[in-house]
Amino acid sequence: MSHIPAGSQADTDRYDDESDDNTYAVSVTRQDGNWLVRELPDASFDSLDKTLRALRSQSTDQPIFGLFNIDDDYFVIVRPVPGGVNTLVSDASAFLSDDLVSDCLDESGIDLDSLEDEIGDSDDVEPWAEGEWELLADLGYSEESLSILIDSDDLWASEQLACLAADMGFDEELADVTGVDPAGCDH
């Protein structure tokens, strides 16, 4: 997988080009009653361990979570919790080519070898979501809301995350960091 390093000129240009995929990784937390969205380093795409280090390195006493939009095909939400981590992957079949997704599924206790055997060499694998559906419930975003969002097949991953941000109230902050317009979030 290749991702453009966060903060590079090419990274900034990516958000200005409508033909591009809008791949990004951000952290989201509250500070003084306001949402704070920050870009995460490129290395956070590499593994769940690197993601957790990037999230935990941000000084906050508030809940924090990471949003990852990968190639505008699927997204990952990662939330450190005391004693572990909660994750949600919008397309678990991506574990075949994405280390972060593999790590998230493995952390959830899914036997990846058995899953890979089950899928085999099929190119016709239907995407499915996997993970902790209530990972944002205490922040006001329910399991039902996540389910409806993920079932919105007419939206790209960046649009799904923009809708999540709009519903939770940090759409402007997310757009400022990623350049992804939250328009069209009537799902």
Side-chain angles (χ1 to χ4, degrees):
M1 254 181 306
S2 75
H3 295 284
I4 299 168
S8 71
Q9 181 59 41
D11 181 57
T12 303
D13 292 344
R14 173 182 61 217
Y15 301 127
D16 296 330
D17 182 0
E18 286 186 35
S19 66
D20 215 326
D21 63 22
N22 295 320
T23 294
Y24 62 79
V26 297
S27 67
V28 182
T29 190
R30 297 201 45 100
Q31 184 175 25
D32 299 325
N34 298 309
W35 287 106
L36 179 62
V37 177
R38 295 182 185 142
E39 192 165 12
L40 289 172
D42 187 50
S44 61
F45 283 103
D46 294 344
S47 71
L48 186 56
D49 286 339
K50 289 181 180 180
T51 297
L52 290 172
R53 275 196 298 274
L55 289 170
R56 289 181 173 141
S57 72
Q58 298 187 28
S59 56
T60 181
D61 59 351
Q62 298 296 311
I64 189 168
F65 58 95
L67 299 177
F68 297 81
N69 170 29
I70 296 95
D71 298 330
D72 226 4
D73 289 331
Y74 56 95
F75 65 83
V76 176
I77 304 173
V78 175
R79 181 160 180 205
V81 294
V85 61
N86 289 332
T87 64
L88 182 69
V89 178
S90 69
D91 180 4
S93 69
F95 86 94
L96 293 167
S97 61
D98 187 311
D99 292 337
L100 178 58
V101 172
S102 293
D103 289 350
C104 289
L105 297 181
D106 189 46
E107 180 70 27
S108 296
I110 295 172
D111 183 349
L112 297 179
D113 291 331
S114 296
L115 188 57
E116 191 168 3
D117 290 343
E118 184 179 318
I119 292 174
D121 292 334
S122 177
D123 290 334
D124 199 23
V125 177
E126 285 292 318
W128 76 96
E130 192 71 56
E132 179 58 49
W133 288 88
E134 295 180 359
L135 81 167
L136 300 176
D138 64 318
L139 299 174
Y141 206 74
S142 69
E143 174 181 354
E144 180 182 5
S145 296
L146 268 173
S147 179
I148 291 168
L149 182 70
I150 289 174
D151 287 343
S152 300
D153 293 337
D154 57 327
L155 298 176
W156 292 99
S158 60
E159 294 169 322
Q160 290 174 315
L161 290 176
C163 290
L164 179 145
D167 291 347
M168 292 183 73
F170 61 89
D171 50 322
E172 291 178 15
E173 292 85 349
L174 182 66
D176 286 347
V177 173
T178 66
V180 176
D181 183 7
C185 289
D186 187 29
H187 53 96

